[in-house]
Amino acid sequence: MHYPGRTFSAPLIRRLPEYHAFCESLANQGQRTVSSTAIAEHCNIDSIVVRKDLENIGAKGRPKIGFIAAELIDAIHEYMGWGMLDELIIAGCGSLGSALISYSGFSRRGFKIIAGFDVDQDVIGTKINDVEVFSLTKLSNIVQRLHVEIGIIAVPPEAAQKVADSMIDGGIRGIWNFSPCALNVPRSVIVQQEDLMSSLVILQKSMKPQQINSNTAKEIQL
Amino acid sequence: MHYPGRTFSAPLIRRLPEYHAFCESLANQGQRTVSSTAIAEHCNIDSIVVRKDLENIGAKGRPKIGFIAAELIDAIHEYMGWGMLDELIIAGCGSLGSALISYSGFSRRGFKIIAGFDVDQDVIGTKINDVEVFSLTKLSNIVQRLHVEIGIIAVPPEAAQKVADSMIDGGIRGIWNFSPCALNVPRSVIVQQEDLMSSLVILQKSMKPQQINSNTAKEIQL
DNA sequence: TAGATTGTTAATCGATTAACAATC
DNA sequence: TAGATTGTTAATCGATTAACAATC
């Protein structure tokens, strides 16, 4: 089934917050309107991209004037779903897990981590940034009782599959996986892979396009 | 300039580590060869994707037999550039910065964080996981002396632009930005944006396609 | 009016998917 | 040989880019 006009795509979701931040800063400076060209310039992208994106989320502008900043802010806010509260749990409360629990961005955007889970007896029972840490053995049960739908995995790769299984047992439908490994899940469960290592390699490769190309050329002539 | 055959694309870079891990586990079990279909099944993707990817990195297989696991492991290792050491510095040693410094995956793949920077006097002078933390005012100077090319930004968004500026002053050519804000940099500098918030929203949206679609349909008929 | 900016339709580009021939 | 698997060429799909008409 395909609905034209209003699409949901990852690149779009990644650009919208930048527009939002820019519009907010303009609005705070007392500016009422904002043009797609101004947004584009600030974000270092083409204005056509901005116009297409705004079309996709249903924002309406006026020729010569642009978009009403306040309207745009609201439209992005609503499209991103920042209005409604969503509750998460996290498995793995090591350094990365703790950092995620303490990350202030989540609460600002309607996400709330309501429980942490770990195997370390020293951590279980403590609170990290007001979030209580339970034993991993209780995960499935607590998830079920609290009807949580999204779980974060921040455990070592060896333990990730088992954690995923108990999350799914408890009724989790979406997994945000920081562990660098493929998870085996039923088709109804969505996995969002967050591979930090790969992001770093992509940056590294982007910095040396000529080197990649010369290798390429060499290989081809063989 | 376009070199066909061997391309560099982000999706490819994100898939290769999964193939690598799978091949390694097979090799450890004493298996000598691996087929694209086996990799595909393990990673929950289509075997055509795997074959295209392996073609892109220059791996050669044999019909009916498949690929030699050890060769594939080496080919991916080399293509990912995991062989050579690359040094990084990080600005911002709060909870996220500390987690990144302590992340074991980096050293396993040839990345080494050699210095941290912060404004907090209580943190400056301490060591996190053997990495010394300096004052942010020294960043540009130290980067220049050590010829570091990649910098990580894990400071609050308000401070990010200023940090980026001093990184670039010092000669940094690639910035891995965990701060949810657009950076203004010269064209020669590459920015890899790591917006955790957006990743989470993408997961959330992927979980509710029907809801998105019904909104879409409603909007269109208006 | 003139010019700037939106909005829409078409073209391009790259990645994914499909089809099928080659080959061990 | 027969069947499985690679490798290659073409088709599809979606996102980006371009061109230009509409309009304030």
Side-chain angles (χ1 to χ4, degrees), chain B residues 170-188:
Chain B
I172 289 276
R173 299 197 306 115
I175 294 176
W176 194 14
N177 185 25
F178 283 81
S179 202
C181 64
L183 295 177
N184 208 344
V185 302
R187 275 212 288 168
S188 59

Side-chain angles (χ1 to χ4, degrees), chain A residues 3-4 6 8 13-14 18 79 86 95 99 109 111 176 182 194 196-199 204-205 213 216 220, chain B residues 3-4 6 8 14 18 79 86 95 99 109 111 176 182 194 196-197 199 204-205 213 216 219-220:
Chain A
Y3 295 91
R6 181 165 302 204
F8 153 61
I13 300 286
R14 297 203 178 275
E18 282 192 47
Y79 186 86
D86 217 339
S95 56
R109 296 305 182 208
F111 290 100
W176 194 15
E194 194 77 37
L196 295 177
M197 210 55 235
S198 299
S199 298
Q204 194 186 32
K205 292 237 175 214
N213 283 351
T216 310
I220 283 166
Chain B
Y3 296 91
R6 180 165 304 203
F8 153 61
R14 296 202 179 276
E18 282 192 47
Y79 186 86
D86 217 337
S95 57
R109 296 304 182 208
F111 290 100
W176 194 14
E194 194 77 37
L196 295 178
M197 210 55 235
S199 298
Q204 194 186 33
K205 292 236 175 215
N213 283 352
T216 310
E219 292 284 338
I220 283 167

Side-chain angles (χ1 to χ4, degrees), chain B residues 121-221:
Chain B
Q121 291 296 335
D122 293 346
V123 184
I124 295 169
T126 66
K127 285 192 175 187
I128 300 172
N129 205 39
D130 277 337
V131 176
E132 193 166 348
V133 179
F134 302 93
S135 163
L136 257 172
T137 57
K138 294 186 179 171
L139 188 147
S140 175
N141 200 276
I142 292 179
V143 163
Q144 203 154 20
R145 276 204 340 253
L146 300 178
H147 301 288
V148 186
E149 296 199 320
I150 301 180
I152 305 173
I153 295 184
V155 301
E158 314 83 68
Q161 182 63 54
K162 216 180 146 196
V163 167
D165 290 343
S166 57
M167 281 184 175
I168 295 164
D169 265 356
I172 289 276
R173 299 197 306 115
I175 294 176
W176 194 14
N177 185 25
F178 283 81
S179 202
C181 64
L183 295 177
N184 208 344
V185 302
R187 275 212 288 168
S188 59
V189 175
I190 309 287
V191 175
Q192 169 87 6
Q193 193 69 26
E194 194 77 37
D195 191 339
L196 295 178
M197 210 55 235
S198 300
S199 298
L200 185 48
V201 172
I202 289 167
L203 170 60
Q204 194 186 33
K205 292 236 175 215
S206 309
M207 290 165 64
K208 306 172 188 168
Q210 61 304 5
Q211 192 174 320
I212 293 168
N213 283 352
S214 72
N215 281 345
T216 310
K218 199 167 59 190
E219 292 284 338
I220 283 167
Q221 79 184 63

Side-chain angles (χ1 to χ4, degrees), chain B residues 19-126:
Chain B
Y19 305 169
H20 188 268
F22 180 59
C23 291
E24 273 202 323
S25 77
L26 285 187
N28 286 341
Q29 286 164 35
Q31 204 162 323
R32 237 179 69 79
T33 62
V34 55
S35 72
S36 61
T37 46
I39 297 176
E41 200 171 333
H42 175 263
C43 299
N44 277 315
I45 56 178
D46 201 294
S47 73
I48 299 173
V49 175
V50 178
R51 281 216 297 289
K52 269 278 188 241
D53 287 347
L54 297 184
E55 187 193 323
N56 271 331
I57 68 170
K60 297 284 176 199
R62 278 193 286 175
K64 173 119 188 200
I65 292 164
F67 298 80
I68 310 293
E71 280 179 20
L72 216 47
I73 290 170
D74 288 349
I76 294 174
H77 189 88
E78 199 203 321
Y79 186 86
M80 292 293 284
W82 287 340
M84 26 206 129
L85 186 75
D86 217 337
E87 297 184 328
L88 323 172
I89 54 101
I90 183 167
C93 300
S95 57
L96 180 59
S98 303
L100 291 171
I101 290 174
S102 307
Y103 185 58
S104 61
F106 292 141
S107 56
R108 261 179 54 228
R109 296 304 182 208
F111 290 100
K112 193 180 175 193
I113 295 178
I114 57 171
F117 298 89
D118 209 295
V119 287
D120 186 346
Q121 291 296 335
D122 293 346
V123 184
I124 295 169
T126 66

